Amino acid sequence: MAAETDKPEKMMDVSVWRGGPDGGAFESFKAPQQESQTILDVVTYIQQNEDPSLAYRFACRVGMCGSCAMMVNGQPRWTCRTHVQKVLKDNKLVIAPLRNLPVIRDLATDMTVFFDKWTAAEASFTPTKTRHDPMAPINPETPERLAASEAIECINCAVCYAACDAVAGNEDYLGPAALNRAWTLVNDVRDGGHESRMDAVSAAGGCHNCHSMGNCAQFCPNELNPTASIAGLKRATVKAALGLRK
Amino acid sequence: MLDLRLYMLQRLSALILAPLVLTHIGVMIYAVQGGLSAAEILGRTQGSIPWMLFYGLFVAAVSVHASIGVRAVAAEWFGVRGSALSGLTLAVFAILGILGARAVYAVTAL
């Protein structure tokens, strides 16, 4: 540690978006570069040393809670697991609130619409048994369960939602996260909400608005592939409409 | 903007169009090899029920396919919504259908 503190601190330029629902602008800060530093560390440094009024959101700091996603140099990222070294360009960082969501203040977005769309997609489990029934035996090797397992590790960070150009062009589109969750439930043999969920994901803002651009899969920090999940939903809804399934 | 019904219509019309487009382009390339004139082409197509059915189906599929595609572009890029969007979709469908039907009539009717 002593050797590190002897070195002159290398500073970097950080532009942080400041403002509220009615607009705002970027404000420039300087922050010291450190070993293994994350974007969240930089934001926290600015809030603690430069401007305590800076608003941002985080909780776990270890990539589990999905609270701290922001736009970093124009791309959506989970800031607690994004190393500065990986994304620093010309010694500069540009940090902004997540795209496609209304801003509350500074870097904190209002995620209400994001979660409302999970509800609209019926992306919640509909139980078919009660707590008094025995546990349902689940074979982890069936194709349905494998498809569901591929897609379940979502942390609701909204990185995919911010990355999605279909959401940007169509405010009614349910988006990759909600539809990805719906796909896991379509493949869950314990779930009883199949028919109404198929209707929900087939409506005007549903899965058929996806252009398969793949931004969600590109940016998902947990390396999920919502594009593939949505393609699965498209196949399932078409099969159901043609009377070919379940 | 796109529900299951419009999605299915666009995919099914694409399925129909794929072989028709390839045949259309193939015949065009083949037909002009020997230096056919317009009159000679019309001589072959006018009164031909198969060509009328071929291009009639072609025009119908194009009208459905393109109007739904334009609908998506208008909604996502130009923010058209609601009844304006439905009106635009129907207008594109009607214009392509009418112009196409006139062309099919001119080329295949006696």
Side-chain angles (χ1 to χ4, degrees):
Chain A
M1 289 306 284
E4 258 182 37
T5 49
D6 288 346
K7 277 193 229 162
E9 279 187 328
K10 191 178 178 208
M11 303 299 280
M12 61 188 157
D13 298 317
V14 188
S15 280
V16 178
W17 195 89
R18 308 296 306 274
D22 302 324
F26 281 96
E27 189 177 339
S28 297
F29 295 97
K30 297 265 183 201
Q33 271 194 55
Q34 287 170 339
E35 192 102 359
S36 302
Q37 184 181 28
T38 66
I39 300 297
L40 186 62
D41 292 335
V42 174
V43 174
T44 302
Y45 172 87
I46 292 170
Q47 200 256 359
Q48 294 191 347
N49 297 280
E50 302 287 331
D51 186 346
S53 72
L54 176 65
Y56 65 110
R57 186 189 288 124
F58 75 96
C60 76
R61 300 178 296 168
V62 290
M64 291 180 71
C65 73
S67 304
C68 69
M70 299 168 201
M71 304 300 291
V72 181
N73 288 350
Q75 299 185 327
R77 300 210 177 254
W78 54 352
T79 58
C80 70
R81 296 288 298 272
T82 302
H83 279 217
V84 169
Q85 270 185 329
K86 190 177 153 191
V87 292
L88 193 66
K89 264 191 198 149
D90 303 326
N91 204 42
K92 190 170 161 63
L93 288 174
V94 180
I95 305 175
L98 273 185
R99 180 176 174 242
N100 293 339
L101 287 165
V103 175
I104 298 172
R105 190 157 69 86
D106 300 341
L107 300 173
T109 53
D110 182 353
M111 294 175 75
T112 308
V113 71
F114 174 71
F115 289 112
D116 282 349
K117 287 179 177 180
W118 282 60
T119 313
E122 307 216 0
S124 55
F125 182 64
T126 309
T128 47
K129 296 188 175 187
T130 70
R131 66 181 64 196
H132 306 296
D133 294 310
M135 291 254 288
I138 299 295
N139 178 357
E141 302 301 330
T142 61
E144 288 80 15
R145 192 59 232 170
L146 287 172
S149 298
E150 277 270 300
I152 52 173
E153 296 292 343
C154 174
I155 57 171
N156 314 357
C157 65
V159 160
C160 60
Y161 191 83
C164 179
D165 287 343
V167 170
N170 178 4
E171 65 281 357
D172 294 330
Y173 176 45
L174 296 171
L179 291 169
N180 179 72
R181 173 64 179 147
W183 173 242
T184 65
L185 294 165
V186 165
N187 288 291
D188 192 331
V189 293
R190 300 166 303 164
D191 184 272
H194 191 75
E195 273 183 32
S196 61
R197 185 173 304 109
M198 292 298 248
D199 289 343
V201 302
S202 298
C207 63
H208 306 101
N209 291 283
C210 168
H211 296 307
S212 307
M213 285 180 279
N215 289 357
C216 51
Q218 174 81 30
F219 287 100
C220 175
N222 274 345
E223 298 182 352
L224 303 184
N225 189 346
T227 311
S229 299
I230 296 167
L233 282 179
K234 287 177 182 170
R235 279 196 304 276
T237 52
V238 167
K239 279 183 186 169
L242 297 175
L244 296 177
R245 122 175 215 145
K246 291 179 185 177
Chain B
M1 184 192 60
L2 281 193
D3 55 11
L4 175 62
R5 187 178 52 100
L6 289 172
Y7 174 85
M8 293 275 281
L9 281 172
Q10 205 185 20
R11 264 48 183 187
L12 289 173
S13 57
L15 269 178
I16 294 168
L17 275 174
L20 298 187
V21 167
L22 289 176
T23 310
H24 170 71
I25 292 172
V27 171
M28 247 177 21
I29 292 170
Y30 168 76
V32 299
Q33 295 298 313
L36 269 182
S37 68
E40 285 169 321
I41 291 174
L42 287 176
R44 286 164 169 80
T45 57
Q46 283 178 335
S48 161
I49 301 273
W51 281 124
M52 193 185 73
L53 291 175
F54 180 92
Y55 279 111
L57 184 62
F58 195 115
V59 164
V62 164
S63 307
V64 170
H65 191 78
S67 56
I68 299 171
V70 168
R71 174 191 174 87
V73 173
E76 288 188 17
W77 287 81
F78 305 108
V80 185
R81 293 287 186 271
S83 53
L85 189 60
S86 304
L88 177 71
T89 310
L90 285 173
V92 173
F93 173 74
I95 290 167
L96 289 175
I98 291 166
L99 292 178
R102 286 188 66 212
V104 172
Y105 180 79
V107 172
T108 61
L110 276 175

Coordinates of all heavy atoms in Angstrom, one line a residue, chain A residues 165-166 168-172 202-206 208-211 234-235 237-238 241-242, chain B residues 1-8 10-12 71-81:
Chain A
D165 N -33.5 -1.4 -28.8 CA -33.9 -0.4 -29.7 C -35.4 -0.5 -30.0 O -36.1 0.5 -30.4 CB -33.1 -0.4 -31.1 CG -31.7 0.1 -30.9 OD1 -31.5 0.8 -29.9 OD2 -30.9 -0.2 -31.7
A166 N -36.0 -1.7 -29.9 CA -37.4 -1.9 -30.1 C -38.2 -1.1 -29.0 O -39.2 -0.5 -29.2 CB -37.8 -3.3 -30.1
A168 N -37.0 1.5 -27.4 CA -36.7 2.9 -27.7 C -37.8 3.4 -28.7 O -38.2 4.6 -28.6 CB -35.3 3.1 -28.2
G169 N -38.2 2.6 -29.7 CA -39.1 3.1 -30.7 C -40.5 2.8 -30.4 O -41.4 3.2 -31.2
N170 N -40.8 2.1 -29.4 CA -42.2 1.7 -29.1 C -42.4 1.5 -27.6 O -42.1 0.5 -27.0 CB -42.5 0.3 -29.8 CG -43.8 -0.2 -29.6 OD1 -44.7 0.4 -28.9 ND2 -44.1 -1.4 -30.1
E171 N -43.0 2.6 -27.0 CA -43.1 2.6 -25.5 C -44.0 1.5 -25.0 O -44.0 1.2 -23.8 CB -43.6 4.0 -25.1 CG -45.0 4.4 -25.5 CD -45.1 4.9 -26.9 OE1 -44.0 4.9 -27.6 OE2 -46.2 5.1 -27.4
D172 N -44.8 0.9 -25.9 CA -45.8 -0.1 -25.4 C -45.1 -1.5 -25.4 O -45.7 -2.5 -24.8 CB -47.0 -0.2 -26.3 CG -47.8 1.0 -26.3 OD1 -47.8 1.7 -25.2 OD2 -48.4 1.4 -27.3
S202 N -48.9 -12.0 -26.7 CA -49.3 -11.9 -28.1 C -50.1 -10.6 -28.4 O -50.4 -10.4 -29.5 CB -50.3 -13.1 -28.4 OG -49.6 -14.3 -28.3
A203 N -50.3 -9.8 -27.4 CA -51.0 -8.5 -27.6 C -50.2 -7.5 -28.3 O -49.0 -7.8 -28.7 CB -51.5 -8.0 -26.2
A204 N -50.7 -6.3 -28.4 CA -50.1 -5.2 -29.2 C -48.6 -4.9 -28.8 O -47.8 -4.6 -29.7 CB -50.9 -4.0 -29.2
G205 N -48.3 -5.0 -27.5 CA -46.9 -4.7 -27.1 C -46.1 -5.9 -26.9 O -45.0 -5.8 -26.3
G206 N -46.5 -7.0 -27.4 CA -46.0 -8.3 -27.0 C -44.7 -8.7 -27.8 O -44.1 -7.9 -28.4
H208 N -44.0 -10.1 -30.4 CA -43.9 -10.0 -31.9 C -43.4 -8.7 -32.4 O -43.1 -8.5 -33.6 CB -45.3 -10.3 -32.5 CG -45.9 -11.6 -32.1 ND1 -46.8 -11.7 -31.1 CD2 -45.5 -12.9 -32.4 CE1 -47.1 -13.0 -30.9 NE2 -46.3 -13.7 -31.6
N209 N -43.2 -7.8 -31.4 CA -42.5 -6.5 -31.8 C -41.0 -6.6 -31.7 O -40.3 -5.6 -32.1 CB -43.0 -5.4 -30.8 CG -44.4 -5.1 -31.0 OD1 -44.8 -4.4 -31.9 ND2 -45.3 -5.6 -30.1
C210 N -40.4 -7.7 -31.3 CA -39.0 -7.9 -31.2 C -38.4 -8.1 -32.6 O -39.0 -8.8 -33.4 CB -38.6 -9.1 -30.4 SG -36.9 -9.6 -30.5
H211 N -37.4 -7.3 -33.0 CA -36.7 -7.4 -34.3 C -35.5 -8.3 -34.3 O -34.7 -8.3 -35.2 CB -36.3 -6.0 -34.8 CG -37.5 -5.1 -35.0 ND1 -38.6 -5.5 -35.8 CD2 -37.8 -3.9 -34.6 CE1 -39.4 -4.5 -35.8 NE2 -39.0 -3.5 -35.1
K234 N -42.3 -16.5 -29.7 CA -42.9 -16.3 -31.0 C -43.3 -17.7 -31.5 O -44.4 -17.9 -32.0 CB -41.9 -15.6 -32.0 CG -41.7 -14.1 -31.7 CD -40.7 -13.6 -32.7 CE -40.3 -12.2 -32.4 NZ -39.2 -11.7 -33.2
R235 N -42.4 -18.7 -31.4 CA -42.7 -20.0 -31.9 C -43.9 -20.6 -31.2 O -44.8 -21.1 -31.8 CB -41.5 -20.9 -31.7 CG -40.4 -20.8 -32.8 CD -39.5 -22.0 -32.8 NE -38.8 -22.2 -31.5 CZ -37.8 -21.5 -31.1 NH1 -37.2 -20.7 -31.9 NH2 -37.3 -21.7 -29.9
T237 N -46.3 -19.1 -29.5 CA -47.6 -18.4 -29.8 C -48.1 -18.8 -31.2 O -49.3 -19.0 -31.4 CB -47.5 -16.9 -29.7 OG1 -46.4 -16.4 -30.5 CG2 -47.2 -16.4 -28.3
V238 N -47.2 -18.9 -32.2 CA -47.6 -19.3 -33.5 C -48.1 -20.7 -33.5 O -49.2 -21.0 -34.1 CB -46.4 -19.1 -34.5 CG1 -46.8 -19.8 -35.8 CG2 -46.1 -17.7 -34.8
A241 N -51.5 -20.7 -32.0 CA -52.5 -20.1 -32.9 C -52.9 -21.1 -34.0 O -54.0 -21.2 -34.4 CB -52.0 -18.8 -33.5
L242 N -51.9 -21.9 -34.4 CA -52.2 -22.9 -35.4 C -52.7 -24.2 -34.8 O -53.0 -25.2 -35.5 CB -50.9 -23.2 -36.2 CG -50.3 -22.0 -37.0 CD1 -49.0 -22.4 -37.6 CD2 -51.3 -21.5 -38.1
Chain B
M1 N -48.3 -2.5 -31.3 CA -48.0 -2.2 -32.7 C -48.1 -3.4 -33.6 O -48.9 -3.5 -34.5 CB -46.6 -1.6 -32.8 CG -46.3 -1.1 -34.2 SD -44.6 -0.7 -34.3 CE -43.8 -2.2 -34.0
L2 N -47.4 -4.5 -33.2 CA -47.6 -5.8 -33.9 C -48.1 -6.8 -33.0 O -47.4 -7.1 -32.0 CB -46.2 -6.3 -34.5 CG -45.7 -5.7 -35.8 CD1 -44.5 -6.5 -36.3 CD2 -46.7 -5.5 -36.8
D3 N -49.3 -7.3 -33.2 CA -49.8 -8.3 -32.4 C -49.6 -9.7 -33.1 O -49.0 -9.7 -34.2 CB -51.3 -8.1 -32.0 CG -52.1 -7.9 -33.2 OD1 -51.7 -8.2 -34.3 OD2 -53.3 -7.5 -33.0
L4 N -50.1 -10.7 -32.5 CA -49.9 -12.1 -33.1 C -50.5 -12.1 -34.6 O -49.9 -12.7 -35.5 CB -50.5 -13.1 -32.2 CG -50.4 -14.6 -32.8 CD1 -49.0 -15.0 -33.0 CD2 -51.2 -15.5 -31.8
R5 N -51.7 -11.5 -34.7 CA -52.3 -11.6 -36.0 C -51.5 -10.9 -37.1 O -51.3 -11.5 -38.2 CB -53.7 -10.9 -35.9 CG -54.7 -11.1 -37.0 CD -56.0 -10.4 -36.7 NE -55.7 -9.0 -36.2 CZ -55.9 -7.9 -37.0 NH1 -56.3 -8.1 -38.3 NH2 -55.7 -6.7 -36.6
L6 N -51.0 -9.7 -36.8 CA -50.3 -9.0 -37.9 C -48.9 -9.7 -38.1 O -48.5 -9.8 -39.3 CB -50.0 -7.6 -37.4 CG -51.2 -6.6 -37.5 CD1 -50.9 -5.3 -36.8 CD2 -51.7 -6.5 -38.9
Y7 N -48.3 -10.2 -37.1 CA -47.1 -11.0 -37.2 C -47.3 -12.2 -38.1 O -46.5 -12.5 -39.0 CB -46.6 -11.4 -35.8 CG -45.4 -12.3 -35.7 CD1 -44.1 -11.8 -35.7 CD2 -45.6 -13.7 -35.6 CE1 -43.0 -12.6 -35.6 CE2 -44.5 -14.5 -35.6 CZ -43.2 -14.0 -35.6 OH -42.1 -14.8 -35.5
M8 N -48.4 -12.9 -37.8 CA -48.6 -14.1 -38.6 C -48.9 -13.7 -40.1 O -48.4 -14.4 -41.0 CB -49.9 -14.9 -38.1 CG -49.7 -15.5 -36.8 SD -49.0 -17.1 -36.8 CE -50.4 -18.1 -37.3
Q10 N -47.7 -11.2 -41.7 CA -46.5 -10.8 -42.3 C -45.6 -12.0 -42.6 O -45.0 -12.1 -43.7 CB -45.7 -9.8 -41.5 CG -44.8 -8.9 -42.4 CD -44.0 -7.9 -41.6 OE1 -43.8 -8.1 -40.4 NE2 -43.5 -6.9 -42.3
R11 N -45.5 -12.9 -41.7 CA -44.7 -14.1 -41.9 C -45.3 -15.0 -43.0 O -44.5 -15.5 -43.9 CB -44.6 -14.9 -40.6 CG -43.3 -14.7 -39.8 CD -43.1 -13.2 -39.6 NE -41.9 -12.9 -38.9 CZ -41.6 -11.7 -38.5 NH1 -42.4 -10.7 -38.8 NH2 -40.5 -11.4 -37.9
L12 N -46.6 -15.2 -43.0 CA -47.2 -16.0 -44.0 C -47.1 -15.4 -45.4 O -46.8 -16.1 -46.4 CB -48.7 -16.3 -43.7 CG -48.9 -17.2 -42.5 CD1 -50.4 -17.2 -42.2 CD2 -48.4 -18.6 -42.8
R71 N -46.0 -0.1 -41.5 CA -46.6 0.2 -40.2 C -45.6 0.2 -39.1 O -45.5 1.1 -38.3 CB -47.7 -0.9 -39.9 CG -48.3 -0.8 -38.6 CD -49.2 -2.0 -38.3 NE -49.7 -2.1 -37.0 CZ -50.9 -1.5 -36.7 NH1 -51.6 -0.9 -37.6 NH2 -51.3 -1.6 -35.4
A72 N -44.7 -0.8 -39.1 CA -43.7 -0.9 -38.0 C -42.7 0.2 -38.1 O -42.3 0.8 -37.1 CB -43.0 -2.3 -38.1
V73 N -42.3 0.5 -39.3 CA -41.3 1.6 -39.5 C -41.9 3.0 -39.1 O -41.3 3.8 -38.4 CB -40.8 1.7 -41.0 CG1 -40.0 2.9 -41.2 CG2 -40.1 0.4 -41.4
A74 N -43.2 3.2 -39.5 CA -43.8 4.5 -39.2 C -44.0 4.6 -37.7 O -43.8 5.7 -37.1 CB -45.2 4.5 -39.9
A75 N -44.3 3.5 -37.0 CA -44.5 3.6 -35.6 C -43.2 3.8 -34.8 O -43.1 4.7 -33.9 CB -45.2 2.3 -35.1
E76 N -42.2 3.1 -35.2 CA -40.9 3.1 -34.5 C -40.1 4.3 -34.8 O -39.4 4.9 -33.9 CB -40.1 1.8 -34.7 CG -40.7 0.7 -34.0 CD -39.9 -0.6 -34.0 OE1 -38.7 -0.5 -34.3 OE2 -40.4 -1.7 -33.8
W77 N -40.1 4.8 -36.1 CA -39.2 5.8 -36.5 C -39.9 7.2 -36.5 O -39.2 8.2 -36.3 CB -38.6 5.6 -37.8 CG -37.6 4.5 -37.8 CD1 -37.8 3.1 -37.7 CD2 -36.1 4.7 -37.7 NE1 -36.6 2.5 -37.6 CE2 -35.6 3.4 -37.6 CE3 -35.3 5.8 -37.7 CZ2 -34.2 3.2 -37.5 CZ3 -33.9 5.6 -37.6 CH2 -33.4 4.3 -37.5
F78 N -41.2 7.2 -36.7 CA -41.9 8.5 -36.8 C -43.0 8.7 -35.8 O -43.7 9.7 -35.8 CB -42.4 8.7 -38.3 CG -41.3 8.5 -39.3 CD1 -41.3 7.4 -40.1 CD2 -40.3 9.5 -39.4 CE1 -40.3 7.2 -41.1 CE2 -39.3 9.3 -40.4 CZ -39.3 8.2 -41.2
G79 N -43.1 7.7 -34.9 CA -44.0 7.9 -33.7 C -45.5 7.9 -34.1 O -46.3 8.5 -33.3
V80 N -45.8 7.3 -35.2 CA -47.3 7.3 -35.6 C -48.0 6.3 -34.7 O -47.5 5.2 -34.5 CB -47.4 6.9 -37.1 CG1 -48.9 7.0 -37.5 CG2 -46.6 7.8 -38.0
R81 N -49.1 6.7 -34.2 CA -49.8 5.8 -33.3 C -51.3 5.8 -33.6 O -51.8 6.7 -34.3 CB -49.6 6.3 -31.8 CG -48.2 6.2 -31.3 CD -47.8 4.8 -31.0 NE -46.5 4.7 -30.3 CZ -45.4 4.6 -31.0 NH1 -45.3 4.7 -32.3 NH2 -44.2 4.5 -30.3

